[in-house]
Amino acid sequence: QVRLVESGGGSVQAGNSLRLSCTAETRAFPTYTMAWFRQIPGKEREFLTAIRWSGVADSVAGRFTMSRDAKSQTILQISNLLPEDTGTYYCAAQMGVADKGNSYYRDARNYDNWGQGTQVTVSS
């Protein structure tokens, strides 16, 4: 298990950008696939982007860009925010064993470690 701590959420105006960060409290950070999901009220948790332990990146098309450093941190940059982006954003981590393909890492059920979530509210 690894503890994940997100930060950077808040209330923003539509059209602006936002930077969320996630710190993983583990020395084995390079061995984890890291991902960002979000949950909009009334909807299931949805995949946004991931960078696998192998370095392979995957993301939904659009305004979400993820980066990670070698030590403990991942960043989610959201550009041109829309009111429909309002929701709770979660960082997730999964220990890497073998690369299992995009569909595996896009499925929230395959992640054992989750942050507490950070709220993003976008006003028009």
Side-chain angles (χ1 to χ4, degrees):
Q1 290 289 329
V2 58
R3 183 167 180 254
L4 304 173
V5 180
E6 300 105 334
S7 62
S11 297
V12 295
Q13 293 279 337
N16 286 338
S17 297
L18 197 63
R19 183 176 180 267
L20 308 180
S21 66
C22 170
T23 300
E25 297 181 358
T26 175
R27 293 184 178 182
F29 180 73
T31 67
Y32 280 85
T33 289
M34 301 299 298
W36 285 92
F37 289 76
R38 74 178 179 188
Q39 190 152 23
I40 294 170
K43 295 189 177 181
E44 292 187 356
R45 195 166 295 191
E46 64 174 320
F47 171 83
L48 298 176
T49 182
I51 299 179
R52 301 174 201 169
W53 60 272
S54 60
V56 174
D58 178 32
S59 67
V60 298
R63 302 167 284 107
F64 306 98
T65 303
M66 178 180 179
S67 61
R68 64 183 291 176
D69 64 19
K71 193 172 181 181
S72 66
Q73 195 170 57
T74 67
I75 301 293
L76 176 67
Q77 183 81 24
I78 313 171
S79 60
N80 191 25
L81 280 154
L82 304 170
E84 49 263 46
D85 292 322
T86 294
T88 304
Y89 287 71
Y90 295 92
C91 175
Q94 177 65 6
M95 174 71 80
V97 177
D99 197 301
K100 299 185 180 182
N102 283 352
S103 60
Y104 179 89
Y105 295 107
R106 289 186 172 210
D107 189 339
R109 295 171 297 180
N110 293 323
Y111 289 84
D112 296 331
N113 305 284
W114 291 88
Q116 80 285 358
T118 185
Q119 178 67 32
V120 173
T121 302
V122 184
S123 57
S124 57

